[in-house]
Amino acid sequence: MARIPDNFIQDLLARTDLVELIDARVPLKKTGRNYSACCPFHQEKTPSFTVAPDKQFYYCFGCGASGNAVGFLMEYEHMNFPEAVKQLASRAGMEVPESRPETAADKQRKDRLQSLYDLLSRAERFYSQQLRQAPEKQKAVSYLKNRGLSGEIAKKFAIGFAPPGYDNLINGLSLTESALEQALTAGLLVRREDTGRVYDKFRDRIIFPIRDSRGRTIGFGGRVLGDGKPKYLNSPETPVFHKGQELYGLWEWRQSRDRSDRLYVVEGYMDVIALTQHGVPNVVATLGTATTEDHARKLFRQVNEVILCFDGDKAGVRAAWRALESLLPALDDGKQVRFLFLPDGEDPDTLVRAQGPEALRALTDQADTLSTYLFRHLSEGLDLNTVDGRARLARLALPYLDKPAGPVYRALLTEELARLTRLDKESLSQLKPAKPEPTPAAPTPRPQATQQSWGEEPPPAEWGDAIPPPEQDAFYPADDLPPMEDLGHSPRHTSSRRKGPLTMVERLVLVLLDYPQLIEAQPLPDGVEQLPIPHIDLLIQVAGLCRQNHRPAALLGALMALEQGETMARLLKASLKPPMEEAMATRLWQDALSQLEVARLEAALAEVEQAGIPDASHWQELHKALAEARQHARKPFH
């Protein structure tokens, strides 16, 4: 099988006007900055098919059809990929270059991914079968019935059961030695480091298959039956499953053909399922992670309004603020976010079961908009009747005014802050930190400096000489990048923009731009997305794209197509400099992963201890893991 070069496809799409292409087949009507029509791929009376000329992308809010110019021709004209490319090339006056043959590496990678999808699909069928046939099935069935789930909804979400025992899946799927390795890669099995023994990851749990936007099973969530820990267990990061990018229930909502222009975002699988059963199908859940910028962009591609549901306790408030910071960069004009804090003791599941969907909708109408919540949160503890209080609010809020993608939204936030602080918009504009001129890279190495960690503090001693001195930045020069805070501080404490060397997170992004293959051999630690490290979401997003684009040129193209923000633009500019040597980049990446794992375990331990009296065994496990991680971080890499 032959393959058309990627750079030709990118050039072809850049020369194609998607609006003109579609309008010749489906008459489009201008609606604001976009164009709309009745969808050509399903029957509808009200237009839900949208074409975005700036992104050269189409999407149907009804059936979920989406893609670029090549995808449209393939679906509308029933062409295969080479035929669609050839037709677009003819329109653009371009000649399709001789396709390079699919290499053995290409085929191996594609086959490897497909084998994972096939194995995960088989596992889904096994778990579903066990819910009907396992000797221990009754406790699982009773649990689901007690939660009020019908057989129809259980089938819709393909709910299953993993019986107790360590080798049910292994035996049930008759896994060979090579298949065992695949199952480990897919996150279905676990291997003990001390004995090398392989066993089922999910045991004595209700199983919730997680599907991607194409309906393929990519992972699982498991709810324990009994008092085991943890209560919920998710698949780890794998080549096909990335927690920070996926939303549970999104595919099921698309299949429902619900026409809602809003999506509820809840915390758990059961909340999604219960709301769907009780007449609220437009609901999704994050997968044990905080809401990321990837989640936000995916949500806003589906609907114009997002409702985030949180508990009203301190943990819910912290989660809401993290979500706000992730949503702001994706918030374009015409998009809306609400923060719904549930009454004490209630979650979406119990609320709709007891009071019906009307109660949820009534609470939604009273929920804070993003701007209301932003200023209310920042104003806590401040007396806005005093000059000091208003001055403090202005300083806290200014860094957030330029974050939304939409210029109208940015202007309205500035106007609201002006009203609250009694300052005019011109005064606020003058107070915004000025962007300094970029500092050129130093032509020759200088003595090692000290400002070089995740934030602005010196690096831990364990990093050793793996970190190149900041001034030796012919690779990644200093720029007028936004300030990066210390691990323990919220971004709102930022007082000014800095001019100086890149922080470690920024350097790691640039390392991946030059050596995307690093992420395959040494992925980011599980749970790193929950760390309060500035721009960690960007690192996670770039890591995910590296798995799909192994060549730096293709990766850069994918990043630019995603329209990263101001930070990404500067980093891309820095990436045009000569790359760091691969050995140094690998060492830097390895050391960074060690420190990230330490930070993740420290955060997990702090959260357990703050929650009250911790489970003794879990607390001890975390302490042991943290000690081992710290010891590992001190070891030199070879």
Side-chain angles (χ1 to χ4, degrees), residues 96 121 218 234 246 251 260 414 457 466 494 534 552 600 607 631:
V96 179
S121 179
I218 55 176
N234 291 318
E246 302 298 338
W251 184 79
S260 301
T414 302
E457 299 299 322
T494 300
R600 183 190 71 82
E607 186 173 346
Q631 184 178 11

Side-chain angles (χ1 to χ4, degrees), residues 130-143:
Q130 293 304 298
L131 185 60
R132 299 189 302 271
Q133 300 178 3
E136 306 89 348
K137 69 176 182 180
Q138 193 53 50
K139 59 181 178 180
V141 172
S142 298
Y143 171 81

Side-chain angles (χ1 to χ4, degrees), residues 27-60:
L28 297 172
K29 181 180 179 181
K30 189 80 162 67
T31 51
R33 61 192 295 182
N34 297 323
Y35 293 81
S36 65
C38 287
C39 181
F41 305 121
H42 80 286
Q43 297 296 320
E44 64 175 1
K45 296 181 180 179
T46 303
S48 61
F49 182 80
T50 299
V51 183
D54 55 339
K55 299 179 177 65
Q56 289 293 295
F57 186 84
Y58 70 86
Y59 181 78
C60 176

